[in-house]
Structure formats: structure tokens, C-alpha cells
């Protein structure tokens, strides 16, 4: 069997740059080296692409200037009709050196956040007809946006919190928050979130108008849309992963309850695994931070009864089937621990660590390696579907002569 | 004043390839040559990009093989950090010739349909930080999808027809339409549409189950989602364009009523202007086909009363403000001519001819040249906003040492 070359893309121009490095390295480690050759592609914070063996070693991050100089800079030549296999091109450092082609078969984006999870790089790959793993262009942007996602969830009958969306005023306009809020009725306390960012970045609680104004101004520094939701008392979170990449059928993972310190699962807590030392729950990874994989969590949480489990599982399946997602999104739910009421919160279209720890804990167990096999297979099938539609374009009628 | 170079992209891998050529040539004609240098980029049906003077002449289409050989093939080097201005690179035909850079300032995609209007090329530009005109990555895919768009419209209180979405079975699965429809209640007659294609391609009416099955199979040849809607009796269509590119405020154009032959405005009717010879209404363009600009239409239709006009105008504004669109979308409405009931049908995020004829007929009149000035300005402002967010990425905290 011919080995496929998998180009693993990570890093990127996102606040979640470092988390993406962790996910990228986990993916590279888990890919079956008997089946695949691995082509690591690191995207720097400034947008430059690098390729080199150094990228697979965690200890090399943050990459030093010297290291970057020694590595190969690469580009994807968009606008090339790739006959057989797509390729990257090296950018020679010296004038007399010729650019080389580095061929690959499937792109595997391991990004979180802006440009990597919001449909941008997906658009780039789909435009060039390159098979790529994970969420599609169609659903990536809309599900990344918390306000649009809420409408989609609601429309298919899934319980969600009410929400008010506030747009950032345009450049030059005065940010008059009072005016922005004038037609809305708000019952405090509320939770304020950026609509387009993940990882709980910029999320805060507001008890009154003054705190709300501050929270909105904070959001508008990093996002152009803010979502105001009722604050959920006695908050318990539950997460579940969904995929159809394993065998073509929609399958759900076990449910997890991430253990949090305080009211909000903040960024530090989520990714630096600080809670790990304090919490008493099962820790699934080593002591060094492994992104989402090292968060403290309870698998198959005892606090959920049969009905609640069913609601979470069925809602997750329903959303997955209704929108064209692909990949292995992690779907997050809110619960009021006292009343037991559950709401769908959001879909992480490319979750930290690809939520592999949920699949590993599932029954039957799915290893990260098997999960990646499935995602690569799915990328090829999706690309085939796109190509079928393109045949119609090639042989379609024309309104100009001489076809 | 330094002239800006505008790269006008057209053609593309879409069923609406030829219509996009018409729009592209109209844009090139209308751009103010005192302010801009024009860089025409044609994307062939097979995905190859060409650049050359020949592209601006309508008589050269379909491009002959010889002509293509003489033109420059170009690519966009995705993964390049463009310091000042983005550039395309030429692909030399001969080994000893060096690749050249062709600099530009703003990308102006004049595509319709797949890959050009659905967020793919938008993703490509946004990923590379290139200012681009028209709809954003966030809203392009979701609004192009008739089923998702319906949910968004409904959520903001705009009247829409009810709808049932049917997904195409996966490759290998048997297309058992009876099974697909088993949980749905359908009241005939219905209208069946592909969810992701524009220009009325693949739209048909079904009076009974048998016709519905045929219609669905037809849709599944060209799209993976079909939308079933109640058939609107006494159908009259109304269109309106919206933009905030003129002066930063949301503005609407005049309303038009496209004149159609028979029950459906089919592809031929819409783009080849066949109706032009038969209809008695005002024709706004020459006798040769000019795409949407040459459709027979009634401007400020008499059949609309004040209330209906208000509903159309306000709904169009509301949608535009609620989703982050940009550009100059044309929003299409259905009306039952007898009952007067109106529903929002769809948003064409990049409408044929950029709907310039609606702006030219508006009061105050907006010329196509002015409209394009606004779209270019808007592209630069949107890019500035993206860059502001990127500053946070560049200087953000890191979980790795040595930053």
C-alpha cells in the first residue's frame, strides 16, 4: 500500500496559537506512521509558513529566530490546478536555489480560533480542491459565531439560553454602549461573551449596567460582536464529542464534566491545567500541560440522570445531522445543577486535542490513531463529493460560442 | 494620489462561470481608470488562473487554447506574509524564465456560485490578510445556503415560507427518497430547490409524490441538500439591493419586479434575456445579453402598495444589519399577487451585475462607478478591522517559554 502524506497545519494567527501547537503535536504523535508520512507545517503568528523536522519537538517552542532561519519557508500556490497531488512550494533563501515542490495528499488543520477554525483556511483548501480534515466551509463560520449558532440550534428544537447580540460600532463611530443597549431588556446577572472567539477568551459576568459596559468594551477590543446571555446559577458544564468519521454513522462519545475553579472556566484554568493540582478528579494526562487533554474532568458524570444523558446525546446527534459539520466537534452544554435544566451552549468545530480523550474513554474505546484514520478517510470522501459537482461545471452549457 | 491596483477575479469553478465573466467585464468597464489600475484575473473552469489584456475583451470568450497558451498563468502564494502589498506570481512557461510578482492592493471577486460566492475564495483572501470586496467569510456560506438563511431570517422576525430540508444520502448509500421523506408532511404543490446553488438552477415544481421524487433526484445530482417549500400561487417576485459601502450607513435601492415568462424564472430566462423580446416592460440594457442587467424588469412596481414597500425595505435593512454581510447583496422576495402576502426568499451575496441597475435607478442615482468606489473603500476598512485583532495575536501571552 502506498503511504499517504498528511500535511498537519498548526499554530496560526489566532489567540489560541499556542493551544494549536499542543493539538498539532498530539496529532503528529498519534498518526499511524505505518500508513502515513507526516509533513508538519507551522504557521507563525505573523502568517509565515514553515516546514522542518524541528517542528515536531515540543521543546523547540517558542521557535527561536535562528531556528526559523534554518527551516524551510513554504507556500501553497493557490490558483494551481493540481493534477494528481497538491503540493507546497519552498521559498529559497538564496537567489540561485530553485524552489522545490513538497507533495502531500490530505491537509489536516489542527487550528483553534481565528483563520484556522472559522472557515478561512478551510476556504483556502476547498478552493484549491485539496482534501482536508474536519469542519467544512459551510458550517465552520456559522457555528463559530455564538449568535448564529444559537439561532440554528433553536430552529431545530434544541434548548438554548436566550441571547442578545450587540455589534461593535464601526471605526470612527463613538462607542455609545447606552445607545447600543437602549432597545434591550436585561435581567442581571448576565454573562457577556465575544461571538467569534473560543476557549472562554473574554467571557465575563456582569451584575449591573456598569459591569456590563466594562464587559462589552472588553469584548469589543477583541471581537466585533458580543453576546449577552442570562447568567446560569449553579453552573455545571457537560461536553460530548460527535463524529461520523469512524464508520459513516453518527456516533457520540462519553459525556464529560470539566471540573472548574470558581464560577467561570477561564482560559488559564482550561489550558494551563492549574486546576489539576487542586481537583480530586481523575486526571487523564501527564503533569505537563497537554491543552484540553490535561483538564481535570469527570467522565460519565454521576450528577446526570438517564433523561439528562439522553437529552445531551440526542441533541448533539441532531445538531450534527442537521448542519454539514464533519470532523469531530465537541458540543458543550450548560446545566443549572439545582434545577437540572440543560441548554446547548456551543459547538467547538475543532476542539482542543480533537477531544480524543473523550473517544478514548468511550465504549467501545476509540484511540486517537483510529480517530485520525477516520478523519483522513472522511476528508477524501468529502473531496470526492466536491469533485462530482465540478464535473458538471466542466461539461456544462455556455452562453459564449465555441464550447 | 497613488493609483490603487484592483485585481478583478472572475470566471471560476461554478455553474455560473459564464455569468461571472459578464459581471467581471461590467466591473472592469465601470471601474474609474483615473483612480485605479486594473488587474484582470480569469479563473478557468479547471481552476487555473490567467492574467492578460485579452481577458478584458468580451469577444475573446470562450478563450481558445492558443490564447490561453499566450497568456500568463498566475498563482497567489498563500502562506506569504505580505509586508506592504499582496502580489500574484507568474508561472513561467519556460524553465530559464524567472517568476515575476504582480502587485495589487484590493481583490474584487466578481463570482457567482460555488467557490466564488460561498466563502471559499473569501477564506483564501482573508487568510492571507488581503483586502477584498463584498461579502465576508462569516456570512457568505450561511446565506448562500437557503435552509440556514431561512432560519436566520426567521430568527430576526422576517416572514419566510415554511421549509423542509432533505440531505443527499452519502456516497454508497442507496437513495431511498421514500425513507428520506417518511417523517415529513407535505402539502402539494411544492417548490424544490438546491440549497447551495443560485440563479434558479435546478429549481422545479412538484404536484405529487412522483414529481417530488424526480425533483429531489435532480437536485441531488448538483447539490447535497434540497429544500422543499410550499408553492406560491400567483407568484410575483420583488428584488432590492442593500449596501453600507456608499457612506457607511445602510442604504437600500429601488425595488424591481423581474418580468418572467411562465411560473418560474428559469436560468435561460434570467440570463439569456429571452423574455426581453416578448415582455413589454422597460429594458435597461442593449440587445446583447448583459446577464442580470439585461433582464426585463419593472422599477418601482405599481403592484406594490406603501405598506408592502415598507415591509420589503425594512426587512432588507434588518437582515443586512443583523448579519455581517458587506458588499451589495440583492435580497429577493416572493409575493402572492392575489393575497398580497410577502416572504423573504433569499440573499444573493454577490448578485449578477452587482445589481448596479438597481442603484442606477435609485434616487439619488448611484452610478456603478461610485458603487465600486464604495466597495473598494469598504474592503480596506474591513481589512483594517481584521488587522486590529491580529495585533492582539502578535503580542499575546504564550504558554511556552522565551516570548
Amino acid at each position: 500500500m502506498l503511504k499517504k502524506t498528511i500535511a498537519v497545519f498548526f499554530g496560526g494567527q489566532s489567540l489560541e496559537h499556542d493551544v494549536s501547537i499542543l493539538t498539532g503535536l498530539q496529532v503528529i504523535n498519534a498518526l499511524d506512521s505505518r500508513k502515513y508520512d507526516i509533513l508538519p507545517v507551522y504557521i507563525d503568528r505573523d502568517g509565515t509558513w514553515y516546514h522542518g523536522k524541528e517542528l515536531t519537538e515540543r521543546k523547540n517552542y517558542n521557535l527561536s529566530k535562528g531556528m526559523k532561519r534554518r527551516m524551510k519557508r513554504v507556500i501553497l500556490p493557490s490558483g494551481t490546478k493540481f493534477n494528481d497531488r497538491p503540493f507546497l512550494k519552498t521559498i529559497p533563501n538564496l537567489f540561485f536555489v530553485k524552489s522545490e515542490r513538497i507533495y502531500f495528499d490530505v491537509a489536516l488543520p489542527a487550528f483553534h480560533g481565528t483563520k484556522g477554525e472559522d472557515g478561512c483556511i478551510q476556504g483556502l483548501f476547498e478552493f484549491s480542491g485539496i482534501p482536508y480534515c474536519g469542519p467544512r466551509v459551510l458550517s465552520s463560520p456559522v457555528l463559530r459565531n455564538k449568535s448564529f449558532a444559537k439561532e440554528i440550534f433553536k430552529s431545530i428544537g434544541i434548548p438554548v439560553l436566550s441571547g442578545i447580540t450587540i455589534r461593535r460600532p464601526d471605526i470612527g463611530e463613538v462607542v455609545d454602549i447606552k445607545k447600543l443597549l437602549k432597545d434591550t431588556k436585561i435581567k442581571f446577572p448576565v454573562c457577556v461573551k465575544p461571538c467569534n472567539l473560543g476557549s472562554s477568551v473574554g467571557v465575563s459576568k456582569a451584575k449591573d449596567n456598569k459591569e456590563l459596559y466594562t464587559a462589552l468594551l472588553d469584548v469589543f477590543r477583541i471581537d466585533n460582536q458580543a453576546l449577552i446571555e442570562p447568567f446560569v446559577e449553579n453552573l455545571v458544564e457537560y461536553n460530548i464529542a460527535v463524529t461520523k468519521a469512524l464508520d459513516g454513522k453518527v456516533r457520540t462519545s462519553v459525556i464529560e464534566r470539566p471540573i472548574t475553579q470558581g464560577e467561570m472556566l477561564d482560559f488559564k484554568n482550561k489550558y494551563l491545567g492549574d486546576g489539576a493540582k487542586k481537583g480530586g478528579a481523575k486526571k487523564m494526562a501527564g503533569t505537563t500541560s497537554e491543552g484540553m487533554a490535561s483538564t481535570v474532568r469527570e467522565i460519565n458524570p454521576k450528577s446526570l440522570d438517564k433523561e439528562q444523558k439522553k437529552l445531551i446525546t440526542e441533541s448533539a446527534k441532531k445538531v450534527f445531522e442537521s448542519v454539514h459539520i464533519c470532523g469531530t466537534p465537541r458540543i458543550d452544554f450548560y446545566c443549572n445543577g439545582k434545577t437540572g435544566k440543560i441548554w446547548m451552549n456551543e459547538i467547538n468545530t475543532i476542539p482542543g486535542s480533537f477531544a480524543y480523550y473523550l473517544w478514548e474513554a468511550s465504549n467501545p474505546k476509540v484511540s486517537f490513531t483510529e480517530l485520525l484514520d477516520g478523519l483522513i478517510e472522511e476528508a477524501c470522501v468529502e473531496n470526492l463529493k466536491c469533485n462530482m459537482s465540478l464535473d458538471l461545471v466542466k461539461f456544462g452549457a455556455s452562453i459564449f460560442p465555441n464550447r
Side-chain angles (χ1 to χ4, degrees), chain A:
Chain A
M1 202 183 70
L2 218 65
K3 268 185 170 183
K4 274 199 170 107
T5 301
I6 311 299
V8 182
F9 291 81
F10 57 96
Q13 296 187 277
S14 145
L15 281 172
E16 294 159 90
H17 174 96
D18 286 7
V19 189
S20 163
I21 296 175
L22 295 178
T23 300
L25 295 181
Q26 287 165 346
V27 166
I28 288 169
N29 265 323
L31 278 167
D32 189 340
S33 58
R34 289 166 310 176
K35 287 186 191 161
Y36 313 114
D37 288 321
I38 296 164
L39 175 70
V41 184
Y42 167 72
I43 302 189
D44 205 355
R45 285 182 176 82
D46 69 3
T48 315
W49 295 15
Y50 293 95
H51 164 60
K53 275 276 167 215
E54 297 89 335
L55 294 173
T56 58
E57 296 276 350
R58 183 175 163 153
K59 65 171 167 47
N60 291 339
Y61 294 91
N62 288 301
L63 297 172
S64 66
K65 275 187 186 165
M67 205 170 271
K68 283 181 194 170
R69 258 197 306 272
R70 285 193 301 276
M71 275 191 294
K72 278 181 185 149
R73 274 189 53 213
V74 288
I75 57 129
L76 180 79
S78 300
T80 302
K81 183 193 153 220
F82 298 115
N83 283 315
D84 187 22
R85 302 171 78 197
F87 53 82
L88 302 175
K89 288 191 81 170
T90 57
I91 305 290
N93 283 327
L94 299 163
F95 183 79
F96 53 83
V97 176
K98 254 211 111 58
S99 166
E100 288 166 56
R101 291 181 176 188
I102 308 179
Y103 285 90
F104 66 100
D105 298 284
V106 175
L108 200 162
F111 296 108
H112 310 299
T114 326
K115 294 202 178 192
E117 196 181 353
D118 59 3
C120 283
I121 205 166
Q122 286 76 15
L124 176 64
F125 292 139
E126 197 159 318
F127 190 83
S128 299
I130 296 168
Y132 65 99
C133 300
R136 302 290 101 186
V137 175
L138 173 58
S139 47
S140 301
V142 68
L143 293 176
R144 284 273 310 155
N145 183 285
K146 292 186 172 72
S147 168
F148 286 177
K150 195 187 278 288
E151 296 309 332
I152 303 275
F153 300 163
K154 212 160 56 178
S155 76
I156 50 179
I158 287 168
V160 288
L161 289 170
S162 62
I164 298 165
T165 308
I166 311 277
R167 287 193 56 75
R168 171 167 63 191
D170 275 330
I171 293 172
E173 260 186 88
V174 181
V175 185
D176 184 346
I177 303 252
K178 273 186 191 154
K179 199 177 138 200
L180 284 177
L181 289 174
K182 85 177 163 16
D183 295 325
T184 59
K185 271 177 214 155
I186 290 175
K187 212 182 137 219
F188 291 100
V190 292
C191 186
V192 186
K193 304 171 172 180
C195 277
N196 297 297
L197 299 175
S199 287
S200 315
V201 175
V203 177
S204 63
K205 181 184 177 178
K207 290 191 302 290
D208 51 38
N209 263 319
K210 203 183 146 198
E211 286 188 8
L212 175 58
Y213 296 162
T214 314
L216 284 174
L217 286 175
D218 280 351
V219 168
F220 290 154
R221 283 176 49 218
I222 51 175
D223 200 341
N224 54 15
Q225 270 183 311
L227 179 67
I228 307 174
E229 286 179 340
F231 183 82
V232 177
E233 303 290 344
N234 318 301
L235 179 68
V236 187
E237 287 188 70
Y238 296 108
N239 305 334
I240 190 170
V242 196
T243 197
K244 66 169 175 54
L246 297 174
D247 55 5
K249 307 249 178 308
V250 179
R251 287 182 55 179
T252 51
S253 73
V254 283
I255 299 170
E256 67 162 337
R257 179 171 75 91
I259 311 287
T260 65
Q261 299 284 329
E263 287 186 319
M264 292 283 177
L265 180 66
D266 69 17
F267 186 80
K268 208 175 149 212
N269 209 334
K270 207 162 183 174
Y271 288 124
L272 304 188
D274 257 22
K277 292 153 204 158
K278 298 160 199 164
K282 192 180 165 195
K283 194 163 177 308
M284 298 193 61
T287 40
T288 36
S289 165
E290 293 302 333
M292 275 309 284
S294 67
T295 301
V296 186
R297 60 176 52 84
E298 184 192 358
I299 294 289
N300 285 323
K302 289 195 185 68
S303 46
L304 281 179
D305 64 27
K306 213 176 151 187
E307 277 306 299
Q308 288 172 312
K309 265 187 202 158
K310 199 179 154 195
L311 178 75
I312 289 174
T313 310
E314 309 260 292
S315 301
K317 269 194 183 172
K318 203 167 164 184
V319 156
F320 191 92
E321 278 165 351
S322 301
V323 294
H324 189 53
I325 308 188
C326 293
T328 171
R330 194 192 74 223
I331 307 187
D332 298 357
F333 292 81
Y334 280 164
C335 177
N336 181 326
K338 275 199 182 144
T339 65
K341 205 165 156 42
I342 287 174
W343 304 270
M344 187 175 284
N345 175 33
E346 61 172 345
I347 298 191
N348 296 279
T349 52
I350 307 184
S353 309
F354 284 26
Y356 78 82
Y357 48 87
L358 290 177
W359 292 110
E360 280 194 345
S362 295
N363 185 12
K365 176 185 161 170
V366 180
S367 72
F368 198 6
T369 302
E370 289 167 302
L371 180 64
L372 292 170
D373 283 348
L375 295 176
I376 290 164
E377 176 67 25
E378 184 179 54
C380 298
V381 172
E382 287 296 321
N383 195 53
L384 212 63
K385 284 192 210 170
C386 279
N387 288 346
M388 275 167 60
S389 307
L390 287 183
D391 285 344
L392 289 163
V393 176
K394 272 185 223 143
F395 304 111
S398 176
I399 58 183
F400 298 108
N402 311 320
R403 249 225 117 184

